[in-house]
């Protein structure tokens, strides 16, 4: 069983000089010395740590059981695109994408439950609790989204799970921002930050600015500022300069601000 770092021990030689006196170990937890040369901590602390570890394991298992109990069955658990329902599912609303990737065919709706949408999104709540068209018709049209992204979005509202790549993370972040699903937005932002590099930094900066993704925006801006000498050589820089010159100005302002802060005295309270 893995031992906690705080239960490491420090060996100390007896200062009596006796060759027959055994080495002692001092437990960092309780500070008591003990004679074992093999154990990493005293017996009492080791047993206490083991009990704590077992208790934490039981708590984790209990939380997993509660989550499984509270988890709504997702539409993806019951049906796949183009197939019949494989388990009981009682949708009372459908979300229709504007683009489902099937030219010549009508968009494929994604079934859902109003109760789930209302509890996950204040935007859906406003739509469905008031006498709006979506509430009367039971149909919510979602513009500028593919079927796959919309299906993944609805699935996340039920399960808090999503299989991400960079494109899907961007698509879901856009939906999360539009429908104010903060948990999903944060999840996608962290994923995109983990994939951030110099090649996609300018696009990520513009994307973060457009959809109020502060984590992405700040991480991308920091990377750009650290590589300012390479900035003007990028095609994306020229495109950004033509499309949204205000963002380029903000980049240079942030760069100059960092230069000023770096050059400032460390102790501003010192008088010359």
């Amino acid at each position: 069983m893995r031992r906690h770092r705080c239960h490491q021990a420090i060996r100390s030689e007896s200062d009596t000089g006796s060759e027959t006196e055994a080495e002692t170990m001092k437990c960092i937890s309780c500070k008591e010395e003990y004679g074992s040369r093999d154990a990493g901590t005293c017996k009492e602390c080791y047993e206490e740590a083991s009990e704590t570890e077992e208790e934490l394991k039981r708590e984790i298992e209990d939380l997993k059981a509660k989550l499984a109990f509270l988890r709504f069955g997702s539409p993806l658990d019951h049906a796949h695109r183009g197939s019949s329902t494989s388990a009981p599912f009682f949708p009372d609303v459908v979300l229709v994408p504007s683009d489902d990737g099937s030219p010549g065919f009508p968009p494929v709706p994604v079934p859902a439950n109003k109760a789930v949408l209302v509890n996950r999104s204040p935007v859906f709540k406003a739509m469905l609790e008031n006498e709006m068209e979506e509430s009367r018709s039971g149909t919510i049209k979602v513009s500028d989204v593919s079927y796959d992204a919309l299906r993944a979005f609805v699935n996340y509202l039920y399960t808090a799970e999503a299989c991400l790549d960079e494109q899907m993370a961007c698509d879901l972040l856009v939906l999360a921002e539009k429908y104010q699903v903060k948990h999903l937005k944060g999840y996608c932002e962290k994923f995109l930050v983990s994939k951030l590099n110099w090649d996609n930094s300018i696009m990520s900066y513009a994307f973060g600015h457009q959809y109020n993704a502060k984590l992405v925006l700040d991480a991308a801006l920091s990377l750009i500022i650290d590589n300012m000498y390479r900035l003007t050589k990028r095609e994306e820089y020229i495109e950004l300069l033509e499309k949204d010159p205000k963002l380029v100005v903000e980049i240079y302002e942030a760069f100059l601000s960092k230069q000023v802060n770096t050059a400032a005295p460390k102790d501003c309270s010192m008088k010359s």
Side-chain angles (χ1 to χ4, degrees), residues 204-239:
S204 295
Y205 175 73
F207 177 82
H209 192 279
Q210 182 177 358
Y211 294 104
N212 193 31
K214 185 169 173 34
L215 286 179
V216 176
L217 181 68
D218 290 347
L221 181 59
S222 178
L223 183 58
I224 292 170
I225 289 174
D226 289 342
N227 293 273
M228 282 295 285
Y229 66 97
R230 303 164 62 187
L231 179 63
T232 57
K233 301 175 183 178
R234 299 293 303 277
E235 292 183 8
E236 294 86 351
Y237 168 80
I238 303 301
E239 293 176 4

PDB file of all heavy atoms in Angstrom, residues 204-239:
ATOM      1  N   SER A 204      -6.355  31.236 -31.607  1.00  0.00           N
ATOM      2  CA  SER A 204      -6.928  30.996 -30.283  1.00  0.00           C
ATOM      3  C   SER A 204      -7.214  32.316 -29.576  1.00  0.00           C
ATOM      4  O   SER A 204      -8.235  32.457 -28.883  1.00  0.00           O
ATOM      5  CB  SER A 204      -5.976  30.148 -29.438  1.00  0.00           C
ATOM      6  OG  SER A 204      -5.816  28.863 -29.992  1.00  0.00           O
ATOM      7  N   TYR A 205      -6.326  33.286 -29.754  1.00  0.00           N
ATOM      8  CA  TYR A 205      -6.528  34.597 -29.143  1.00  0.00           C
ATOM      9  C   TYR A 205      -7.791  35.255 -29.695  1.00  0.00           C
ATOM     10  O   TYR A 205      -8.627  35.764 -28.938  1.00  0.00           O
ATOM     11  CB  TYR A 205      -5.309  35.482 -29.398  1.00  0.00           C
ATOM     12  CG  TYR A 205      -5.476  36.895 -28.905  1.00  0.00           C
ATOM     13  CD1 TYR A 205      -5.435  37.177 -27.540  1.00  0.00           C
ATOM     14  CD2 TYR A 205      -5.688  37.939 -29.792  1.00  0.00           C
ATOM     15  CE1 TYR A 205      -5.604  38.476 -27.078  1.00  0.00           C
ATOM     16  CE2 TYR A 205      -5.852  39.237 -29.341  1.00  0.00           C
ATOM     17  CZ  TYR A 205      -5.817  39.500 -27.993  1.00  0.00           C
ATOM     18  OH  TYR A 205      -5.981  40.788 -27.533  1.00  0.00           O
ATOM     19  N   ALA A 206      -7.950  35.221 -31.015  1.00  0.00           N
ATOM     20  CA  ALA A 206      -9.133  35.817 -31.631  1.00  0.00           C
ATOM     21  C   ALA A 206     -10.404  35.071 -31.216  1.00  0.00           C
ATOM     22  O   ALA A 206     -11.445  35.678 -30.943  1.00  0.00           O
ATOM     23  CB  ALA A 206      -8.990  35.806 -33.152  1.00  0.00           C
ATOM     24  N   PHE A 207     -10.312  33.756 -31.151  1.00  0.00           N
ATOM     25  CA  PHE A 207     -11.455  32.936 -30.749  1.00  0.00           C
ATOM     26  C   PHE A 207     -11.850  33.228 -29.300  1.00  0.00           C
ATOM     27  O   PHE A 207     -13.031  33.400 -28.980  1.00  0.00           O
ATOM     28  CB  PHE A 207     -11.103  31.451 -30.912  1.00  0.00           C
ATOM     29  CG  PHE A 207     -12.180  30.512 -30.463  1.00  0.00           C
ATOM     30  CD1 PHE A 207     -13.254  30.208 -31.290  1.00  0.00           C
ATOM     31  CD2 PHE A 207     -12.125  29.910 -29.212  1.00  0.00           C
ATOM     32  CE1 PHE A 207     -14.250  29.345 -30.883  1.00  0.00           C
ATOM     33  CE2 PHE A 207     -13.109  29.041 -28.795  1.00  0.00           C
ATOM     34  CZ  PHE A 207     -14.184  28.759 -29.624  1.00  0.00           C
ATOM     35  N   GLY A 208     -10.855  33.278 -28.421  1.00  0.00           N
ATOM     36  CA  GLY A 208     -11.126  33.568 -27.023  1.00  0.00           C
ATOM     37  C   GLY A 208     -11.764  34.932 -26.835  1.00  0.00           C
ATOM     38  O   GLY A 208     -12.658  35.103 -26.002  1.00  0.00           O
ATOM     39  N   HIS A 209     -11.317  35.908 -27.615  1.00  0.00           N
ATOM     40  CA  HIS A 209     -11.880  37.253 -27.540  1.00  0.00           C
ATOM     41  C   HIS A 209     -13.331  37.256 -28.022  1.00  0.00           C
ATOM     42  O   HIS A 209     -14.200  37.885 -27.406  1.00  0.00           O
ATOM     43  CB  HIS A 209     -11.034  38.203 -28.384  1.00  0.00           C
ATOM     44  CG  HIS A 209     -11.348  39.657 -28.156  1.00  0.00           C
ATOM     45  ND1 HIS A 209     -12.418  40.280 -28.756  1.00  0.00           N
ATOM     46  CD2 HIS A 209     -10.732  40.606 -27.383  1.00  0.00           C
ATOM     47  CE1 HIS A 209     -12.453  41.551 -28.380  1.00  0.00           C
ATOM     48  NE2 HIS A 209     -11.446  41.763 -27.549  1.00  0.00           N
ATOM     49  N   GLN A 210     -13.597  36.551 -29.096  1.00  0.00           N
ATOM     50  CA  GLN A 210     -14.947  36.546 -29.684  1.00  0.00           C
ATOM     51  C   GLN A 210     -15.976  35.911 -28.762  1.00  0.00           C
ATOM     52  O   GLN A 210     -17.118  36.384 -28.673  1.00  0.00           O
ATOM     53  CB  GLN A 210     -14.925  35.809 -31.021  1.00  0.00           C
ATOM     54  CG  GLN A 210     -16.282  35.802 -31.733  1.00  0.00           C
ATOM     55  CD  GLN A 210     -16.207  35.122 -33.093  1.00  0.00           C
ATOM     56  OE1 GLN A 210     -15.136  34.673 -33.532  1.00  0.00           O
ATOM     57  NE2 GLN A 210     -17.336  35.051 -33.774  1.00  0.00           N
ATOM     58  N   TYR A 211     -15.564  34.845 -28.072  1.00  0.00           N
ATOM     59  CA  TYR A 211     -16.535  34.106 -27.258  1.00  0.00           C
ATOM     60  C   TYR A 211     -16.286  34.250 -25.756  1.00  0.00           C
ATOM     61  O   TYR A 211     -16.744  33.427 -24.972  1.00  0.00           O
ATOM     62  CB  TYR A 211     -16.526  32.631 -27.678  1.00  0.00           C
ATOM     63  CG  TYR A 211     -17.022  32.455 -29.085  1.00  0.00           C
ATOM     64  CD1 TYR A 211     -16.134  32.197 -30.130  1.00  0.00           C
ATOM     65  CD2 TYR A 211     -18.372  32.589 -29.392  1.00  0.00           C
ATOM     66  CE1 TYR A 211     -16.585  32.063 -31.437  1.00  0.00           C
ATOM     67  CE2 TYR A 211     -18.829  32.462 -30.689  1.00  0.00           C
ATOM     68  CZ  TYR A 211     -17.930  32.201 -31.703  1.00  0.00           C
ATOM     69  OH  TYR A 211     -18.378  32.079 -33.002  1.00  0.00           O
ATOM     70  N   ASN A 212     -15.585  35.316 -25.381  1.00  0.00           N
ATOM     71  CA  ASN A 212     -15.400  35.643 -23.970  1.00  0.00           C
ATOM     72  C   ASN A 212     -14.815  34.468 -23.185  1.00  0.00           C
ATOM     73  O   ASN A 212     -15.232  34.169 -22.066  1.00  0.00           O
ATOM     74  CB  ASN A 212     -16.748  36.067 -23.362  1.00  0.00           C
ATOM     75  CG  ASN A 212     -16.583  36.723 -22.010  1.00  0.00           C
ATOM     76  OD1 ASN A 212     -15.574  37.377 -21.734  1.00  0.00           O
ATOM     77  ND2 ASN A 212     -17.576  36.541 -21.142  1.00  0.00           N
ATOM     78  N   ALA A 213     -13.847  33.789 -23.799  1.00  0.00           N
ATOM     79  CA  ALA A 213     -13.181  32.648 -23.167  1.00  0.00           C
ATOM     80  C   ALA A 213     -11.886  33.154 -22.543  1.00  0.00           C
ATOM     81  O   ALA A 213     -10.817  33.128 -23.162  1.00  0.00           O
ATOM     82  CB  ALA A 213     -12.902  31.551 -24.189  1.00  0.00           C
ATOM     83  N   LYS A 214     -11.973  33.606 -21.309  1.00  0.00           N
ATOM     84  CA  LYS A 214     -10.848  34.308 -20.675  1.00  0.00           C
ATOM     85  C   LYS A 214      -9.615  33.429 -20.505  1.00  0.00           C
ATOM     86  O   LYS A 214      -8.488  33.890 -20.684  1.00  0.00           O
ATOM     87  CB  LYS A 214     -11.300  34.871 -19.334  1.00  0.00           C
ATOM     88  CG  LYS A 214     -10.233  35.723 -18.649  1.00  0.00           C
ATOM     89  CD  LYS A 214     -10.787  36.469 -17.478  1.00  0.00           C
ATOM     90  CE  LYS A 214      -9.728  37.200 -16.676  1.00  0.00           C
ATOM     91  NZ  LYS A 214      -8.613  37.745 -17.405  1.00  0.00           N
ATOM     92  N   LEU A 215      -9.805  32.163 -20.147  1.00  0.00           N
ATOM     93  CA  LEU A 215      -8.661  31.266 -19.976  1.00  0.00           C
ATOM     94  C   LEU A 215      -7.876  31.129 -21.281  1.00  0.00           C
ATOM     95  O   LEU A 215      -6.647  31.198 -21.298  1.00  0.00           O
ATOM     96  CB  LEU A 215      -9.127  29.891 -19.507  1.00  0.00           C
ATOM     97  CG  LEU A 215      -9.587  29.763 -18.051  1.00  0.00           C
ATOM     98  CD1 LEU A 215     -10.039  28.339 -17.779  1.00  0.00           C
ATOM     99  CD2 LEU A 215      -8.477  30.155 -17.097  1.00  0.00           C
ATOM    100  N   VAL A 216      -8.593  30.925 -22.380  1.00  0.00           N
ATOM    101  CA  VAL A 216      -7.956  30.793 -23.692  1.00  0.00           C
ATOM    102  C   VAL A 216      -7.312  32.107 -24.098  1.00  0.00           C
ATOM    103  O   VAL A 216      -6.174  32.143 -24.581  1.00  0.00           O
ATOM    104  CB  VAL A 216      -8.991  30.350 -24.750  1.00  0.00           C
ATOM    105  CG1 VAL A 216      -8.357  30.306 -26.135  1.00  0.00           C
ATOM    106  CG2 VAL A 216      -9.577  28.986 -24.391  1.00  0.00           C
ATOM    107  N   LEU A 217      -8.044  33.185 -23.898  1.00  0.00           N
ATOM    108  CA  LEU A 217      -7.555  34.520 -24.269  1.00  0.00           C
ATOM    109  C   LEU A 217      -6.246  34.851 -23.558  1.00  0.00           C
ATOM    110  O   LEU A 217      -5.256  35.244 -24.189  1.00  0.00           O
ATOM    111  CB  LEU A 217      -8.622  35.557 -23.929  1.00  0.00           C
ATOM    112  CG  LEU A 217      -8.310  37.013 -24.274  1.00  0.00           C
ATOM    113  CD1 LEU A 217      -8.272  37.201 -25.773  1.00  0.00           C
ATOM    114  CD2 LEU A 217      -9.344  37.939 -23.647  1.00  0.00           C
ATOM    115  N   ASP A 218      -6.222  34.676 -22.252  1.00  0.00           N
ATOM    116  CA  ASP A 218      -5.027  35.033 -21.471  1.00  0.00           C
ATOM    117  C   ASP A 218      -3.834  34.138 -21.807  1.00  0.00           C
ATOM    118  O   ASP A 218      -2.698  34.612 -21.922  1.00  0.00           O
ATOM    119  CB  ASP A 218      -5.338  34.931 -19.977  1.00  0.00           C
ATOM    120  CG  ASP A 218      -6.292  36.022 -19.507  1.00  0.00           C
ATOM    121  OD1 ASP A 218      -6.504  36.981 -20.268  1.00  0.00           O
ATOM    122  OD2 ASP A 218      -6.820  35.909 -18.385  1.00  0.00           O
ATOM    123  N   ALA A 219      -4.101  32.832 -21.970  1.00  0.00           N
ATOM    124  CA  ALA A 219      -3.007  31.906 -22.283  1.00  0.00           C
ATOM    125  C   ALA A 219      -2.426  32.196 -23.658  1.00  0.00           C
ATOM    126  O   ALA A 219      -1.199  32.183 -23.854  1.00  0.00           O
ATOM    127  CB  ALA A 219      -3.500  30.464 -22.204  1.00  0.00           C
ATOM    128  N   ALA A 220      -3.292  32.455 -24.629  1.00  0.00           N
ATOM    129  CA  ALA A 220      -2.826  32.752 -25.988  1.00  0.00           C
ATOM    130  C   ALA A 220      -2.066  34.075 -26.026  1.00  0.00           C
ATOM    131  O   ALA A 220      -1.013  34.187 -26.670  1.00  0.00           O
ATOM    132  CB  ALA A 220      -4.014  32.788 -26.951  1.00  0.00           C
ATOM    133  N   LEU A 221      -2.571  35.073 -25.329  1.00  0.00           N
ATOM    134  CA  LEU A 221      -1.912  36.380 -25.307  1.00  0.00           C
ATOM    135  C   LEU A 221      -0.527  36.274 -24.677  1.00  0.00           C
ATOM    136  O   LEU A 221       0.436  36.869 -25.172  1.00  0.00           O
ATOM    137  CB  LEU A 221      -2.770  37.379 -24.534  1.00  0.00           C
ATOM    138  CG  LEU A 221      -2.232  38.808 -24.440  1.00  0.00           C
ATOM    139  CD1 LEU A 221      -2.046  39.398 -25.829  1.00  0.00           C
ATOM    140  CD2 LEU A 221      -3.171  39.665 -23.606  1.00  0.00           C
ATOM    141  N   SER A 222      -0.416  35.517 -23.603  1.00  0.00           N
ATOM    142  CA  SER A 222       0.882  35.337 -22.951  1.00  0.00           C
ATOM    143  C   SER A 222       1.881  34.684 -23.897  1.00  0.00           C
ATOM    144  O   SER A 222       3.056  35.087 -23.965  1.00  0.00           O
ATOM    145  CB  SER A 222       0.703  34.487 -21.696  1.00  0.00           C
ATOM    146  OG  SER A 222       1.931  34.245 -21.062  1.00  0.00           O
ATOM    147  N   LEU A 223       1.429  33.681 -24.645  1.00  0.00           N
ATOM    148  CA  LEU A 223       2.313  32.998 -25.592  1.00  0.00           C
ATOM    149  C   LEU A 223       2.730  33.933 -26.725  1.00  0.00           C
ATOM    150  O   LEU A 223       3.901  33.932 -27.153  1.00  0.00           O
ATOM    151  CB  LEU A 223       1.602  31.763 -26.156  1.00  0.00           C
ATOM    152  CG  LEU A 223       2.394  30.883 -27.120  1.00  0.00           C
ATOM    153  CD1 LEU A 223       3.673  30.367 -26.465  1.00  0.00           C
ATOM    154  CD2 LEU A 223       1.540  29.706 -27.583  1.00  0.00           C
ATOM    155  N   ILE A 224       1.809  34.736 -27.195  1.00  0.00           N
ATOM    156  CA  ILE A 224       2.120  35.681 -28.280  1.00  0.00           C
ATOM    157  C   ILE A 224       3.135  36.722 -27.810  1.00  0.00           C
ATOM    158  O   ILE A 224       4.112  37.029 -28.511  1.00  0.00           O
ATOM    159  CB  ILE A 224       0.826  36.368 -28.776  1.00  0.00           C
ATOM    160  CG1 ILE A 224      -0.067  35.355 -29.488  1.00  0.00           C
ATOM    161  CG2 ILE A 224       1.159  37.525 -29.714  1.00  0.00           C
ATOM    162  CD1 ILE A 224      -1.458  35.870 -29.799  1.00  0.00           C
ATOM    163  N   ILE A 225       2.927  37.260 -26.629  1.00  0.00           N
ATOM    164  CA  ILE A 225       3.825  38.284 -26.093  1.00  0.00           C
ATOM    165  C   ILE A 225       5.247  37.741 -25.927  1.00  0.00           C
ATOM    166  O   ILE A 225       6.233  38.448 -26.167  1.00  0.00           O
ATOM    167  CB  ILE A 225       3.282  38.815 -24.747  1.00  0.00           C
ATOM    168  CG1 ILE A 225       2.038  39.669 -24.993  1.00  0.00           C
ATOM    169  CG2 ILE A 225       4.341  39.632 -24.013  1.00  0.00           C
ATOM    170  CD1 ILE A 225       1.356  40.122 -23.721  1.00  0.00           C
ATOM    171  N   ASP A 226       5.344  36.482 -25.536  1.00  0.00           N
ATOM    172  CA  ASP A 226       6.659  35.868 -25.365  1.00  0.00           C
ATOM    173  C   ASP A 226       7.364  35.607 -26.697  1.00  0.00           C
ATOM    174  O   ASP A 226       8.556  35.283 -26.714  1.00  0.00           O
ATOM    175  CB  ASP A 226       6.532  34.549 -24.602  1.00  0.00           C
ATOM    176  CG  ASP A 226       6.179  34.758 -23.134  1.00  0.00           C
ATOM    177  OD1 ASP A 226       6.374  35.885 -22.634  1.00  0.00           O
ATOM    178  OD2 ASP A 226       5.695  33.805 -22.495  1.00  0.00           O
ATOM    179  N   ASN A 227       6.619  35.734 -27.813  1.00  0.00           N
ATOM    180  CA  ASN A 227       7.198  35.483 -29.140  1.00  0.00           C
ATOM    181  C   ASN A 227       6.921  36.642 -30.097  1.00  0.00           C
ATOM    182  O   ASN A 227       6.699  36.428 -31.294  1.00  0.00           O
ATOM    183  CB  ASN A 227       6.616  34.189 -29.725  1.00  0.00           C
ATOM    184  CG  ASN A 227       7.027  32.957 -28.958  1.00  0.00           C
ATOM    185  OD1 ASN A 227       8.070  32.369 -29.210  1.00  0.00           O
ATOM    186  ND2 ASN A 227       6.197  32.560 -28.002  1.00  0.00           N
ATOM    187  N   MET A 228       6.929  37.863 -29.561  1.00  0.00           N
ATOM    188  CA  MET A 228       6.570  39.032 -30.367  1.00  0.00           C
ATOM    189  C   MET A 228       7.464  39.202 -31.589  1.00  0.00           C
ATOM    190  O   MET A 228       7.014  39.677 -32.636  1.00  0.00           O
ATOM    191  CB  MET A 228       6.634  40.289 -29.499  1.00  0.00           C
ATOM    192  CG  MET A 228       5.430  40.460 -28.588  1.00  0.00           C
ATOM    193  SD  MET A 228       3.873  40.740 -29.462  1.00  0.00           S
ATOM    194  CE  MET A 228       4.055  42.434 -29.990  1.00  0.00           C
ATOM    195  N   TYR A 229       8.720  38.825 -31.474  1.00  0.00           N
ATOM    196  CA  TYR A 229       9.637  38.984 -32.598  1.00  0.00           C
ATOM    197  C   TYR A 229       9.250  38.127 -33.800  1.00  0.00           C
ATOM    198  O   TYR A 229       9.704  38.366 -34.927  1.00  0.00           O
ATOM    199  CB  TYR A 229      11.068  38.652 -32.156  1.00  0.00           C
ATOM    200  CG  TYR A 229      11.282  37.194 -31.787  1.00  0.00           C
ATOM    201  CD1 TYR A 229      11.804  36.293 -32.707  1.00  0.00           C
ATOM    202  CD2 TYR A 229      10.944  36.720 -30.519  1.00  0.00           C
ATOM    203  CE1 TYR A 229      11.990  34.960 -32.378  1.00  0.00           C
ATOM    204  CE2 TYR A 229      11.143  35.390 -30.181  1.00  0.00           C
ATOM    205  CZ  TYR A 229      11.659  34.512 -31.109  1.00  0.00           C
ATOM    206  OH  TYR A 229      11.835  33.196 -30.784  1.00  0.00           O
ATOM    207  N   ARG A 230       8.388  37.127 -33.579  1.00  0.00           N
ATOM    208  CA  ARG A 230       7.954  36.246 -34.664  1.00  0.00           C
ATOM    209  C   ARG A 230       6.548  36.606 -35.156  1.00  0.00           C
ATOM    210  O   ARG A 230       6.074  36.042 -36.138  1.00  0.00           O
ATOM    211  CB  ARG A 230       7.938  34.795 -34.172  1.00  0.00           C
ATOM    212  CG  ARG A 230       9.272  34.319 -33.648  1.00  0.00           C
ATOM    213  CD  ARG A 230       9.142  33.049 -32.821  1.00  0.00           C
ATOM    214  NE  ARG A 230       8.633  31.923 -33.575  1.00  0.00           N
ATOM    215  CZ  ARG A 230       8.308  30.755 -33.036  1.00  0.00           C
ATOM    216  NH1 ARG A 230       8.419  30.578 -31.724  1.00  0.00           N
ATOM    217  NH2 ARG A 230       7.863  29.775 -33.787  1.00  0.00           N
ATOM    218  N   LEU A 231       5.891  37.530 -34.467  1.00  0.00           N
ATOM    219  CA  LEU A 231       4.466  37.771 -34.713  1.00  0.00           C
ATOM    220  C   LEU A 231       4.168  38.243 -36.127  1.00  0.00           C
ATOM    221  O   LEU A 231       3.293  37.705 -36.806  1.00  0.00           O
ATOM    222  CB  LEU A 231       3.943  38.802 -33.696  1.00  0.00           C
ATOM    223  CG  LEU A 231       2.461  39.179 -33.832  1.00  0.00           C
ATOM    224  CD1 LEU A 231       1.571  37.966 -33.598  1.00  0.00           C
ATOM    225  CD2 LEU A 231       2.105  40.291 -32.840  1.00  0.00           C
ATOM    226  N   THR A 232       4.884  39.253 -36.588  1.00  0.00           N
ATOM    227  CA  THR A 232       4.552  39.863 -37.876  1.00  0.00           C
ATOM    228  C   THR A 232       4.856  38.961 -39.064  1.00  0.00           C
ATOM    229  O   THR A 232       4.456  39.259 -40.194  1.00  0.00           O
ATOM    230  CB  THR A 232       5.313  41.191 -38.052  1.00  0.00           C
ATOM    231  OG1 THR A 232       6.718  40.947 -37.919  1.00  0.00           O
ATOM    232  CG2 THR A 232       4.869  42.204 -37.000  1.00  0.00           C
ATOM    233  N   LYS A 233       5.559  37.864 -38.827  1.00  0.00           N
ATOM    234  CA  LYS A 233       5.873  36.935 -39.909  1.00  0.00           C
ATOM    235  C   LYS A 233       4.735  35.950 -40.181  1.00  0.00           C
ATOM    236  O   LYS A 233       4.778  35.214 -41.177  1.00  0.00           O
ATOM    237  CB  LYS A 233       7.152  36.165 -39.581  1.00  0.00           C
ATOM    238  CG  LYS A 233       8.366  37.055 -39.358  1.00  0.00           C
ATOM    239  CD  LYS A 233       9.571  36.243 -38.905  1.00  0.00           C
ATOM    240  CE  LYS A 233      10.761  37.139 -38.624  1.00  0.00           C
ATOM    241  NZ  LYS A 233      11.944  36.382 -38.136  1.00  0.00           N
ATOM    242  N   ARG A 234       3.733  35.930 -39.324  1.00  0.00           N
ATOM    243  CA  ARG A 234       2.651  34.960 -39.449  1.00  0.00           C
ATOM    244  C   ARG A 234       1.549  35.477 -40.370  1.00  0.00           C
ATOM    245  O   ARG A 234       1.143  36.638 -40.300  1.00  0.00           O
ATOM    246  CB  ARG A 234       2.053  34.646 -38.077  1.00  0.00           C
ATOM    247  CG  ARG A 234       3.022  34.037 -37.080  1.00  0.00           C
ATOM    248  CD  ARG A 234       3.440  32.645 -37.541  1.00  0.00           C
ATOM    249  NE  ARG A 234       2.292  31.780 -37.732  1.00  0.00           N
ATOM    250  CZ  ARG A 234       1.692  31.110 -36.758  1.00  0.00           C
ATOM    251  NH1 ARG A 234       2.151  31.208 -35.519  1.00  0.00           N
ATOM    252  NH2 ARG A 234       0.658  30.329 -37.015  1.00  0.00           N
ATOM    253  N   GLU A 235       1.027  34.599 -41.224  1.00  0.00           N
ATOM    254  CA  GLU A 235      -0.092  34.975 -42.087  1.00  0.00           C
ATOM    255  C   GLU A 235      -1.327  35.316 -41.265  1.00  0.00           C
ATOM    256  O   GLU A 235      -2.104  36.203 -41.623  1.00  0.00           O
ATOM    257  CB  GLU A 235      -0.416  33.827 -43.057  1.00  0.00           C
ATOM    258  CG  GLU A 235       0.661  33.581 -44.104  1.00  0.00           C
ATOM    259  CD  GLU A 235       0.253  32.481 -45.075  1.00  0.00           C
ATOM    260  OE1 GLU A 235      -0.926  32.041 -45.008  1.00  0.00           O
ATOM    261  OE2 GLU A 235       1.096  32.068 -45.878  1.00  0.00           O
ATOM    262  N   GLU A 236      -1.498  34.596 -40.149  1.00  0.00           N
ATOM    263  CA  GLU A 236      -2.650  34.853 -39.292  1.00  0.00           C
ATOM    264  C   GLU A 236      -2.613  36.275 -38.718  1.00  0.00           C
ATOM    265  O   GLU A 236      -3.664  36.883 -38.489  1.00  0.00           O
ATOM    266  CB  GLU A 236      -2.690  33.845 -38.135  1.00  0.00           C
ATOM    267  CG  GLU A 236      -2.940  32.411 -38.549  1.00  0.00           C
ATOM    268  CD  GLU A 236      -1.662  31.688 -38.922  1.00  0.00           C
ATOM    269  OE1 GLU A 236      -0.598  32.353 -39.030  1.00  0.00           O
ATOM    270  OE2 GLU A 236      -1.713  30.453 -39.081  1.00  0.00           O
ATOM    271  N   TYR A 237      -1.407  36.796 -38.518  1.00  0.00           N
ATOM    272  CA  TYR A 237      -1.266  38.160 -38.019  1.00  0.00           C
ATOM    273  C   TYR A 237      -1.791  39.156 -39.052  1.00  0.00           C
ATOM    274  O   TYR A 237      -2.522  40.097 -38.714  1.00  0.00           O
ATOM    275  CB  TYR A 237       0.197  38.449 -37.693  1.00  0.00           C
ATOM    276  CG  TYR A 237       0.496  39.911 -37.439  1.00  0.00           C
ATOM    277  CD1 TYR A 237       0.219  40.488 -36.205  1.00  0.00           C
ATOM    278  CD2 TYR A 237       1.056  40.708 -38.449  1.00  0.00           C
ATOM    279  CE1 TYR A 237       0.485  41.836 -35.978  1.00  0.00           C
ATOM    280  CE2 TYR A 237       1.319  42.051 -38.225  1.00  0.00           C
ATOM    281  CZ  TYR A 237       1.036  42.603 -36.985  1.00  0.00           C
ATOM    282  OH  TYR A 237       1.301  43.942 -36.760  1.00  0.00           O
ATOM    283  N   ILE A 238      -1.430  38.949 -40.323  1.00  0.00           N
ATOM    284  CA  ILE A 238      -1.899  39.838 -41.400  1.00  0.00           C
ATOM    285  C   ILE A 238      -3.424  39.772 -41.500  1.00  0.00           C
ATOM    286  O   ILE A 238      -4.101  40.803 -41.643  1.00  0.00           O
ATOM    287  CB  ILE A 238      -1.265  39.445 -42.746  1.00  0.00           C
ATOM    288  CG1 ILE A 238       0.274  39.470 -42.638  1.00  0.00           C
ATOM    289  CG2 ILE A 238      -1.747  40.388 -43.840  1.00  0.00           C
ATOM    290  CD1 ILE A 238       0.860  40.799 -42.250  1.00  0.00           C
ATOM    291  N   GLU A 239      -3.969  38.573 -41.416  1.00  0.00           N
ATOM    292  CA  GLU A 239      -5.426  38.409 -41.497  1.00  0.00           C
ATOM    293  C   GLU A 239      -6.115  39.107 -40.334  1.00  0.00           C
ATOM    294  O   GLU A 239      -7.147  39.768 -40.504  1.00  0.00           O
ATOM    295  CB  GLU A 239      -5.784  36.931 -41.502  1.00  0.00           C
ATOM    296  CG  GLU A 239      -5.328  36.194 -42.754  1.00  0.00           C
ATOM    297  CD  GLU A 239      -5.610  34.701 -42.682  1.00  0.00           C
ATOM    298  OE1 GLU A 239      -6.226  34.260 -41.686  1.00  0.00           O
ATOM    299  OE2 GLU A 239      -5.203  33.979 -43.608  1.00  0.00           O
TER     300      GLU A 239
END
